[in-house]
PDB file of all heavy atoms in Angstrom:
ATOM      1  N   ASN A   1     -84.985  80.171  30.526  1.00  0.00           N
ATOM      2  CA  ASN A   1     -83.946  81.070  30.112  1.00  0.00           C
ATOM      3  C   ASN A   1     -84.497  82.545  30.015  1.00  0.00           C
ATOM      4  O   ASN A   1     -85.501  82.700  29.421  1.00  0.00           O
ATOM      5  CB  ASN A   1     -83.352  80.676  28.796  1.00  0.00           C
ATOM      6  CG  ASN A   1     -82.661  79.332  28.837  1.00  0.00           C
ATOM      7  OD1 ASN A   1     -81.731  79.229  29.524  1.00  0.00           O
ATOM      8  ND2 ASN A   1     -83.151  78.400  28.078  1.00  0.00           N
ATOM      9  N   ASN A   2     -83.696  83.411  30.561  1.00  0.00           N
ATOM     10  CA  ASN A   2     -84.039  84.826  30.373  1.00  0.00           C
ATOM     11  C   ASN A   2     -83.409  85.424  29.132  1.00  0.00           C
ATOM     12  O   ASN A   2     -83.882  86.460  28.583  1.00  0.00           O
ATOM     13  CB  ASN A   2     -83.678  85.668  31.560  1.00  0.00           C
ATOM     14  CG  ASN A   2     -84.495  85.223  32.839  1.00  0.00           C
ATOM     15  OD1 ASN A   2     -85.622  84.911  32.688  1.00  0.00           O
ATOM     16  ND2 ASN A   2     -83.834  85.323  34.038  1.00  0.00           N
ATOM     17  N   SER A   3     -82.335  84.851  28.635  1.00  0.00           N
ATOM     18  CA  SER A   3     -81.543  85.381  27.546  1.00  0.00           C
ATOM     19  C   SER A   3     -82.288  84.970  26.281  1.00  0.00           C
ATOM     20  O   SER A   3     -82.703  83.881  26.008  1.00  0.00           O
ATOM     21  CB  SER A   3     -80.180  84.740  27.611  1.00  0.00           C
ATOM     22  OG  SER A   3     -79.573  84.915  26.310  1.00  0.00           O
ATOM     23  N   THR A   4     -82.405  85.976  25.341  1.00  0.00           N
ATOM     24  CA  THR A   4     -83.066  85.693  24.035  1.00  0.00           C
ATOM     25  C   THR A   4     -82.134  84.678  23.316  1.00  0.00           C
ATOM     26  O   THR A   4     -82.707  83.811  22.562  1.00  0.00           O
ATOM     27  CB  THR A   4     -83.200  87.001  23.263  1.00  0.00           C
ATOM     28  OG1 THR A   4     -83.862  87.909  24.050  1.00  0.00           O
ATOM     29  CG2 THR A   4     -83.889  86.753  22.008  1.00  0.00           C
ATOM     30  N   PHE A   5     -80.858  84.817  23.312  1.00  0.00           N
ATOM     31  CA  PHE A   5     -80.008  83.930  22.653  1.00  0.00           C
ATOM     32  C   PHE A   5     -80.187  82.501  23.109  1.00  0.00           C
ATOM     33  O   PHE A   5     -80.362  81.604  22.308  1.00  0.00           O
ATOM     34  CB  PHE A   5     -78.499  84.320  22.856  1.00  0.00           C
ATOM     35  CG  PHE A   5     -77.566  83.344  22.280  1.00  0.00           C
ATOM     36  CD1 PHE A   5     -77.341  83.349  20.877  1.00  0.00           C
ATOM     37  CD2 PHE A   5     -76.880  82.441  23.026  1.00  0.00           C
ATOM     38  CE1 PHE A   5     -76.480  82.364  20.346  1.00  0.00           C
ATOM     39  CE2 PHE A   5     -76.083  81.482  22.501  1.00  0.00           C
ATOM     40  CZ  PHE A   5     -75.785  81.460  21.150  1.00  0.00           C
ATOM     41  N   GLU A   6     -80.223  82.292  24.469  1.00  0.00           N
ATOM     42  CA  GLU A   6     -80.379  80.926  24.961  1.00  0.00           C
ATOM     43  C   GLU A   6     -81.821  80.358  24.567  1.00  0.00           C
ATOM     44  O   GLU A   6     -82.000  79.211  24.401  1.00  0.00           O
ATOM     45  CB  GLU A   6     -80.267  80.984  26.482  1.00  0.00           C
ATOM     46  CG  GLU A   6     -78.757  81.115  26.870  1.00  0.00           C
ATOM     47  CD  GLU A   6     -78.615  81.138  28.353  1.00  0.00           C
ATOM     48  OE1 GLU A   6     -79.592  80.981  29.038  1.00  0.00           O
ATOM     49  OE2 GLU A   6     -77.447  81.394  28.816  1.00  0.00           O
ATOM     50  N   ALA A   7     -82.774  81.297  24.572  1.00  0.00           N
ATOM     51  CA  ALA A   7     -84.151  80.809  24.312  1.00  0.00           C
ATOM     52  C   ALA A   7     -84.347  80.307  22.812  1.00  0.00           C
ATOM     53  O   ALA A   7     -85.209  79.623  22.512  1.00  0.00           O
ATOM     54  CB  ALA A   7     -85.176  81.971  24.485  1.00  0.00           C
ATOM     55  N   THR A   8     -83.431  80.813  21.917  1.00  0.00           N
ATOM     56  CA  THR A   8     -83.535  80.307  20.515  1.00  0.00           C
ATOM     57  C   THR A   8     -82.950  78.959  20.377  1.00  0.00           C
ATOM     58  O   THR A   8     -83.143  78.329  19.336  1.00  0.00           O
ATOM     59  CB  THR A   8     -82.815  81.347  19.540  1.00  0.00           C
ATOM     60  OG1 THR A   8     -81.408  81.391  19.956  1.00  0.00           O
ATOM     61  CG2 THR A   8     -83.399  82.647  19.636  1.00  0.00           C
ATOM     62  N   HIS A   9     -82.200  78.420  21.401  1.00  0.00           N
ATOM     63  CA  HIS A   9     -81.674  77.114  21.276  1.00  0.00           C
ATOM     64  C   HIS A   9     -82.519  76.223  22.203  1.00  0.00           C
ATOM     65  O   HIS A   9     -82.317  76.198  23.431  1.00  0.00           O
ATOM     66  CB  HIS A   9     -80.167  77.066  21.755  1.00  0.00           C
ATOM     67  CG  HIS A   9     -79.295  77.958  20.896  1.00  0.00           C
ATOM     68  ND1 HIS A   9     -78.993  77.514  19.560  1.00  0.00           N
ATOM     69  CD2 HIS A   9     -78.831  79.196  21.028  1.00  0.00           C
ATOM     70  CE1 HIS A   9     -78.272  78.553  19.058  1.00  0.00           C
ATOM     71  NE2 HIS A   9     -78.214  79.531  19.883  1.00  0.00           N
ATOM     72  N   ILE A  10     -83.301  75.378  21.577  1.00  0.00           N
ATOM     73  CA  ILE A  10     -84.216  74.566  22.386  1.00  0.00           C
ATOM     74  C   ILE A  10     -83.433  73.429  23.000  1.00  0.00           C
ATOM     75  O   ILE A  10     -82.600  72.781  22.436  1.00  0.00           O
ATOM     76  CB  ILE A  10     -85.287  73.909  21.428  1.00  0.00           C
ATOM     77  CG1 ILE A  10     -86.051  74.992  20.792  1.00  0.00           C
ATOM     78  CG2 ILE A  10     -86.149  72.970  22.226  1.00  0.00           C
ATOM     79  CD1 ILE A  10     -86.948  74.544  19.697  1.00  0.00           C
ATOM     80  N   ARG A  11     -83.625  73.303  24.340  1.00  0.00           N
ATOM     81  CA  ARG A  11     -82.884  72.273  25.083  1.00  0.00           C
ATOM     82  C   ARG A  11     -83.382  70.912  24.718  1.00  0.00           C
ATOM     83  O   ARG A  11     -84.562  70.670  24.421  1.00  0.00           O
ATOM     84  CB  ARG A  11     -83.231  72.490  26.637  1.00  0.00           C
ATOM     85  CG  ARG A  11     -82.333  71.607  27.457  1.00  0.00           C
ATOM     86  CD  ARG A  11     -82.562  71.890  28.991  1.00  0.00           C
ATOM     87  NE  ARG A  11     -83.976  71.610  29.318  1.00  0.00           N
ATOM     88  CZ  ARG A  11     -84.721  72.578  29.968  1.00  0.00           C
ATOM     89  NH1 ARG A  11     -84.268  73.743  30.182  1.00  0.00           N
ATOM     90  NH2 ARG A  11     -85.937  72.276  30.313  1.00  0.00           N
ATOM     91  N   SER A  12     -82.387  69.999  24.610  1.00  0.00           N
ATOM     92  CA  SER A  12     -82.761  68.656  24.233  1.00  0.00           C
ATOM     93  C   SER A  12     -83.582  67.941  25.275  1.00  0.00           C
ATOM     94  O   SER A  12     -83.341  68.112  26.445  1.00  0.00           O
ATOM     95  CB  SER A  12     -81.456  67.828  23.970  1.00  0.00           C
ATOM     96  OG  SER A  12     -80.787  68.359  22.865  1.00  0.00           O
ATOM     97  N   GLN A  13     -84.565  67.110  24.817  1.00  0.00           N
ATOM     98  CA  GLN A  13     -85.339  66.235  25.640  1.00  0.00           C
ATOM     99  C   GLN A  13     -84.926  64.820  25.315  1.00  0.00           C
ATOM    100  O   GLN A  13     -85.496  64.327  24.324  1.00  0.00           O
ATOM    101  CB  GLN A  13     -86.793  66.547  25.438  1.00  0.00           C
ATOM    102  CG  GLN A  13     -87.227  68.019  25.675  1.00  0.00           C
ATOM    103  CD  GLN A  13     -87.123  68.375  27.188  1.00  0.00           C
ATOM    104  OE1 GLN A  13     -87.493  67.515  28.017  1.00  0.00           O
ATOM    105  NE2 GLN A  13     -86.657  69.574  27.403  1.00  0.00           N
ATOM    106  N   LEU A  14     -84.037  64.292  26.009  1.00  0.00           N
ATOM    107  CA  LEU A  14     -83.605  62.930  25.697  1.00  0.00           C
ATOM    108  C   LEU A  14     -84.586  61.819  26.134  1.00  0.00           C
ATOM    109  O   LEU A  14     -85.055  61.873  27.283  1.00  0.00           O
ATOM    110  CB  LEU A  14     -82.243  62.639  26.347  1.00  0.00           C
ATOM    111  CG  LEU A  14     -81.104  63.609  25.969  1.00  0.00           C
ATOM    112  CD1 LEU A  14     -79.795  63.211  26.653  1.00  0.00           C
ATOM    113  CD2 LEU A  14     -80.847  63.577  24.444  1.00  0.00           C
ATOM    114  N   HIS A  15     -84.828  60.900  25.198  1.00  0.00           N
ATOM    115  CA  HIS A  15     -85.641  59.784  25.514  1.00  0.00           C
ATOM    116  C   HIS A  15     -85.450  58.735  24.437  1.00  0.00           C
ATOM    117  O   HIS A  15     -84.844  58.987  23.323  1.00  0.00           O
ATOM    118  CB  HIS A  15     -87.141  60.120  25.524  1.00  0.00           C
ATOM    119  CG  HIS A  15     -87.670  60.777  24.206  1.00  0.00           C
ATOM    120  ND1 HIS A  15     -87.500  62.046  23.953  1.00  0.00           N
ATOM    121  CD2 HIS A  15     -88.311  60.186  23.226  1.00  0.00           C
ATOM    122  CE1 HIS A  15     -88.019  62.253  22.701  1.00  0.00           C
ATOM    123  NE2 HIS A  15     -88.491  61.140  22.305  1.00  0.00           N
ATOM    124  N   SER A  16     -85.853  57.537  24.692  1.00  0.00           N
ATOM    125  CA  SER A  16     -85.660  56.446  23.689  1.00  0.00           C
ATOM    126  C   SER A  16     -86.799  56.503  22.694  1.00  0.00           C
ATOM    127  O   SER A  16     -87.963  56.727  23.004  1.00  0.00           O
ATOM    128  CB  SER A  16     -85.738  55.076  24.491  1.00  0.00           C
ATOM    129  OG  SER A  16     -85.717  54.062  23.656  1.00  0.00           O
ATOM    130  N   PHE A  17     -86.355  56.289  21.420  1.00  0.00           N
ATOM    131  CA  PHE A  17     -87.441  56.278  20.330  1.00  0.00           C
ATOM    132  C   PHE A  17     -86.964  55.268  19.306  1.00  0.00           C
ATOM    133  O   PHE A  17     -85.795  54.945  19.205  1.00  0.00           O
ATOM    134  CB  PHE A  17     -87.720  57.653  19.733  1.00  0.00           C
ATOM    135  CG  PHE A  17     -86.574  58.237  18.922  1.00  0.00           C
ATOM    136  CD1 PHE A  17     -86.559  57.977  17.601  1.00  0.00           C
ATOM    137  CD2 PHE A  17     -85.633  58.930  19.545  1.00  0.00           C
ATOM    138  CE1 PHE A  17     -85.499  58.530  16.824  1.00  0.00           C
ATOM    139  CE2 PHE A  17     -84.491  59.479  18.833  1.00  0.00           C
ATOM    140  CZ  PHE A  17     -84.536  59.351  17.410  1.00  0.00           C
ATOM    141  N   VAL A  18     -87.957  54.802  18.525  1.00  0.00           N
ATOM    142  CA  VAL A  18     -87.728  53.795  17.442  1.00  0.00           C
ATOM    143  C   VAL A  18     -87.526  54.534  16.127  1.00  0.00           C
ATOM    144  O   VAL A  18     -88.371  55.257  15.742  1.00  0.00           O
ATOM    145  CB  VAL A  18     -88.782  52.733  17.431  1.00  0.00           C
ATOM    146  CG1 VAL A  18     -88.611  51.793  16.265  1.00  0.00           C
ATOM    147  CG2 VAL A  18     -88.980  52.035  18.718  1.00  0.00           C
ATOM    148  N   VAL A  19     -86.399  54.267  15.530  1.00  0.00           N
ATOM    149  CA  VAL A  19     -86.041  54.980  14.283  1.00  0.00           C
ATOM    150  C   VAL A  19     -87.028  54.700  13.154  1.00  0.00           C
ATOM    151  O   VAL A  19     -87.510  55.698  12.457  1.00  0.00           O
ATOM    152  CB  VAL A  19     -84.645  54.686  13.802  1.00  0.00           C
ATOM    153  CG1 VAL A  19     -84.294  55.232  12.428  1.00  0.00           C
ATOM    154  CG2 VAL A  19     -83.596  55.038  14.846  1.00  0.00           C
ATOM    155  N   ASP A  20     -87.499  53.502  13.109  1.00  0.00           N
ATOM    156  CA  ASP A  20     -88.484  53.107  12.018  1.00  0.00           C
ATOM    157  C   ASP A  20     -89.799  53.936  12.156  1.00  0.00           C
ATOM    158  O   ASP A  20     -90.443  54.248  11.258  1.00  0.00           O
ATOM    159  CB  ASP A  20     -88.784  51.641  12.041  1.00  0.00           C
ATOM    160  CG  ASP A  20     -87.597  50.905  11.511  1.00  0.00           C
ATOM    161  OD1 ASP A  20     -86.739  51.496  10.762  1.00  0.00           O
ATOM    162  OD2 ASP A  20     -87.383  49.671  11.884  1.00  0.00           O
ATOM    163  N   GLN A  21     -90.212  54.205  13.422  1.00  0.00           N
ATOM    164  CA  GLN A  21     -91.386  55.008  13.722  1.00  0.00           C
ATOM    165  C   GLN A  21     -91.274  56.431  13.230  1.00  0.00           C
ATOM    166  O   GLN A  21     -92.133  56.971  12.641  1.00  0.00           O
ATOM    167  CB  GLN A  21     -91.809  55.037  15.144  1.00  0.00           C
ATOM    168  CG  GLN A  21     -92.468  53.707  15.616  1.00  0.00           C
ATOM    169  CD  GLN A  21     -92.839  53.854  17.128  1.00  0.00           C
ATOM    170  OE1 GLN A  21     -92.183  54.630  17.911  1.00  0.00           O
ATOM    171  NE2 GLN A  21     -93.822  53.038  17.543  1.00  0.00           N
ATOM    172  N   MET A  22     -90.038  56.953  13.432  1.00  0.00           N
ATOM    173  CA  MET A  22     -89.830  58.344  12.954  1.00  0.00           C
ATOM    174  C   MET A  22     -89.818  58.327  11.444  1.00  0.00           C
ATOM    175  O   MET A  22     -90.310  59.307  10.792  1.00  0.00           O
ATOM    176  CB  MET A  22     -88.424  58.840  13.483  1.00  0.00           C
ATOM    177  CG  MET A  22     -88.173  60.308  13.091  1.00  0.00           C
ATOM    178  SD  MET A  22     -86.698  60.936  13.704  1.00  0.00           S
ATOM    179  CE  MET A  22     -85.492  59.913  13.014  1.00  0.00           C
ATOM    180  N   VAL A  23     -89.229  57.452  10.828  1.00  0.00           N
ATOM    181  CA  VAL A  23     -89.276  57.316   9.368  1.00  0.00           C
ATOM    182  C   VAL A  23     -90.691  57.193   8.866  1.00  0.00           C
ATOM    183  O   VAL A  23     -91.094  57.944   7.934  1.00  0.00           O
ATOM    184  CB  VAL A  23     -88.451  56.090   8.834  1.00  0.00           C
ATOM    185  CG1 VAL A  23     -88.605  55.883   7.352  1.00  0.00           C
ATOM    186  CG2 VAL A  23     -86.868  56.390   9.141  1.00  0.00           C
ATOM    187  N   ASP A  24     -91.546  56.480   9.483  1.00  0.00           N
ATOM    188  CA  ASP A  24     -92.951  56.396   9.135  1.00  0.00           C
ATOM    189  C   ASP A  24     -93.609  57.733   9.257  1.00  0.00           C
ATOM    190  O   ASP A  24     -94.426  58.130   8.401  1.00  0.00           O
ATOM    191  CB  ASP A  24     -93.659  55.366   9.997  1.00  0.00           C
ATOM    192  CG  ASP A  24     -93.334  53.937   9.664  1.00  0.00           C
ATOM    193  OD1 ASP A  24     -92.710  53.675   8.652  1.00  0.00           O
ATOM    194  OD2 ASP A  24     -93.549  53.027  10.589  1.00  0.00           O
TER     195      ASP A  24
END
């Protein structure tokens, strides 16, 4: 992104993850 506004919104990186690992 060249736009400062767009650069402040980090694009999502979708992937599978285990909720219990995130809690840990």
Side-chain angles (χ1 to χ4, degrees):
N1 296 300
N2 294 326
S3 164
T4 305
F5 174 78
E6 289 176 4
T8 60
H9 299 284
I10 300 172
R11 188 175 62 236
S12 293
Q13 303 291 321
L14 300 180
H15 61 276
S16 176
F17 70 94
V18 178
V19 174
D20 292 336
Q21 282 181 335
M22 184 178 59
V23 170
D24 290 344

